[in-house]
Amino acid sequence: MTPATMGFLGFGATLFLIAFGFPVAVAMALVGVVGFWLLNGLAGAGFILGSSPFEAIFPYSLSVVPLFVMMGVFAARAGLSRSLFEMVNSFLGHVRGGLAVTAVGACALFGAICGSSLATVATMGRVAIPEMEKHGYDGSLSSASIAAGGTLGVLIPPSILLVIYGILTQTSIGQLFIGAIVPGIVGAVLYGLAIVIRVRMKPELAPPAAKTGWTKRLASLRRVWAVLLLFSLVIGGIYLGWFSPTEAAAVGAVGAFILALISGELDWSTLWESVRETAGLTGMIFFILIGASLFNYFLETTGLPSALISGIESSGMGPTMALILILVFYIVLGCFMDAMSMILLTVPFLAPVAASQGFDMVWFGILVVTVAEIGLITPPIGMNLFVVQATQPGLTQRMVVRGILPFIIADIIRLAILVAVPALSLWLPAMMF
């Protein structure tokens, strides 16, 4: 058996263990250590067990993770989700389907502060779904709007997945953040169009609401100006060269803490809960990184990336076909794995393939994270579908899935646009200071 074949079998074994309920980190670590042992002996396995965990989490660039996680936790504690929803609703709520479009817009804005898809869905679901139910919206439309809108938090910076991709591929995190802004906006617009088209086809899904006057609109804007300022400061600071991504994360965490303090929602109890939640989420991410590091040692030893590159070159396959196959592979895999695990498991051997085809690694990273978004709302394992169902007692999984198809179609269209027009992802990074 060749080492490359062992690499393929190791990848399959990892998927098998995950399918049978093993934690992702444990599955990757177990396969990585056993595979490395079979290829290099017990002494080699002992060496990577002793060195790999430290090497996986000591890089300075990883300090951005707990800071952006803390920024999101404090943003959630400050009650920013309701203020953002009310602000967008004051401008769009009176249109038929406007509350669902409002939910998508509010998810995009909150995701820009939070950086977590699951946290965005859980928070916005509790705020927006009861409001839509009160106005007679169909449950499938309201729940699917939240589930899909929450995926925007994966792409719109600051994004933990983009940070992980940047570290794995040695790509500039700042350029990834800036490059994701336009694709994120395109995603939000396409989701809004999906809602408008569906409501136009079935008006009974979303009755129109009363129009809000300019007095209330301006009042709602005053409540969120600090949030918009914080986002502009964090991302604008990276774009203008004022901060590194790590410094921007620190600015964002302190800014979100101040907003939570001003809101009156932060006391000693919630401060302790926020710190504990930040530590728990950061520990989970770092644990997965350690498992991925052990698995990557095994993959590098098997020469699987080189075998894939050689196979593509010998087949005569062009770059476009290679990219399509990679994206289809991600879409299928996303039906059964969460986004972070998928990226940690696959990027180490697919990124060299992308580089060998001459793809810009910022563009490729944004495509990968966009496909990971699709996996968050794709049955049967789409995590956002389960999270949004858990936010409201009356929701069923069947109801959520029934409304998600238009958003998946919108995601496929967005993916096609980003593939056809790389400038949408590369224009802003090229102009960075």
Side-chain angles (χ1 to χ4, degrees):
M1 184 185 298
T2 64
T5 303
M6 287 192 66
F8 278 113
L9 291 177
F11 180 75
T14 305
L15 293 180
F16 178 82
L17 291 176
I18 292 171
F20 275 83
F22 275 69
V24 173
V26 174
M28 288 192 290
L30 183 62
V31 172
V33 172
V34 172
F36 201 87
W37 175 23
L38 294 175
L39 288 170
N40 299 281
L42 187 60
F47 171 76
I48 66 166
L49 275 173
S51 60
S52 180
F54 173 75
E55 293 175 359
I57 61 175
F58 94 97
Y60 170 76
S61 54
L62 275 175
S63 59
V64 74
V65 173
L67 291 171
F68 275 133
V69 170
M70 180 173 286
M71 177 179 170
V73 169
F74 280 134
R77 298 289 181 186
L80 300 180
S81 56
R82 179 169 295 279
S83 298
L84 289 169
F85 179 80
E86 290 174 352
M87 184 272 289
V88 181
N89 182 41
S90 66
F91 287 90
L92 299 176
H94 63 282
V95 181
R96 187 180 291 275
L99 283 176
V101 177
T102 294
V104 170
C107 283
L109 292 171
F110 187 74
I113 301 295
C114 178
S116 166
S117 176
L118 300 182
T120 300
V121 171
T123 305
M124 294 303 305
R126 296 187 184 96
V127 172
I129 292 179
E131 190 70 21
M132 286 188 271
E133 286 180 349
K134 187 170 70 175
H135 286 82
Y137 275 55
D138 184 81
S140 65
L141 176 63
S142 58
S143 58
S145 301
I146 296 294
T151 65
L152 297 171
V154 170
L155 185 61
I156 294 177
S159 163
I160 299 300
L161 285 187
L162 286 176
V163 172
I164 298 300
Y165 171 88
I167 292 169
L168 290 175
T169 62
Q170 299 298 303
T171 305
S172 166
I173 294 173
Q175 288 193 336
L176 287 167
F177 278 3
I178 300 303
I181 293 174
V182 174
I185 293 172
V186 171
V189 171
L190 288 174
Y191 283 167
L193 288 175
I195 293 169
V196 170
I197 292 171
R198 190 179 179 205
V199 168
R200 183 154 294 189
M201 293 171 64
K202 287 188 174 182
E204 66 274 11
L205 293 177
K211 190 172 184 178
T212 304
W214 276 102
T215 302
K216 290 187 177 180
R217 288 178 178 179
L218 294 175
S220 66
L221 279 173
R222 283 195 295 269
R223 287 194 293 270
V224 300
W225 70 268
V227 182
L228 302 178
L229 178 63
L230 178 61
F231 173 76
S232 301
L233 181 61
V234 170
I235 303 304
I238 295 174
Y239 182 78
L240 295 172
W242 295 348
F243 318 127
S244 69
T246 303
E247 292 166 344
V251 170
V254 172
F257 170 77
I258 293 172
L259 290 178
L261 200 61
I262 294 174
S263 70
E265 299 292 332
L266 195 64
D267 53 23
W268 285 111
S269 174
T270 53
L271 178 61
W272 168 246
E273 290 174 6
S274 300
V275 172
R276 187 171 61 179
E277 185 178 350
T278 300
L281 290 172
T282 303
M284 178 192 70
I285 293 170
F286 281 12
F287 188 44
I288 296 175
L289 283 171
I290 291 171
S293 176
L294 292 167
F295 184 72
N296 293 340
Y297 263 106
F298 163 63
L299 283 183
E300 289 170 7
T301 305
T302 64
L304 180 58
S306 300
L308 287 173
I309 293 170
S310 300
I312 290 174
E313 290 174 348
S314 62
S315 69
M317 187 186 303
T320 302
M321 182 55 66
L323 179 62
I324 291 173
L325 287 178
I326 290 173
L327 295 179
V328 170
F329 167 73
Y330 271 118
I331 289 173
V332 174
L333 192 62
C335 296
F336 305 99
M337 291 186 69
D338 67 277
M340 181 175 293
S341 304
M342 186 167 62
I343 286 177
L344 285 167
L345 187 62
T346 60
V347 163
F349 67 87
L350 288 179
V353 175
S356 72
Q357 297 297 307
F359 300 147
D360 185 283
M361 296 311 291
V362 171
W363 176 59
F364 182 72
I366 290 170
L367 291 178
V368 167
V369 173
T370 300
V371 179
E373 284 187 70
I374 300 175
L376 288 169
I377 56 173
T378 307
I381 310 295
M383 294 297 295
N384 282 13
L385 305 179
F386 293 98
V387 173
V388 75
Q389 180 193 354
T391 61
Q392 299 298 322
L395 285 177
T396 64
Q397 190 64 200
R398 181 179 179 182
M399 186 183 297
V400 180
V401 171
R402 195 174 73 233
I404 207 65
L405 180 59
F407 298 100
I408 294 177
I409 294 172
D411 271 330
I412 299 296
I413 294 172
R414 173 170 47 143
L415 190 60
I417 292 172
L418 295 180
V419 169
V421 190
L424 289 175
S425 305
L426 301 177
W427 170 56
L428 284 178
M431 298 178 65
M432 285 177 65
F433 284 89

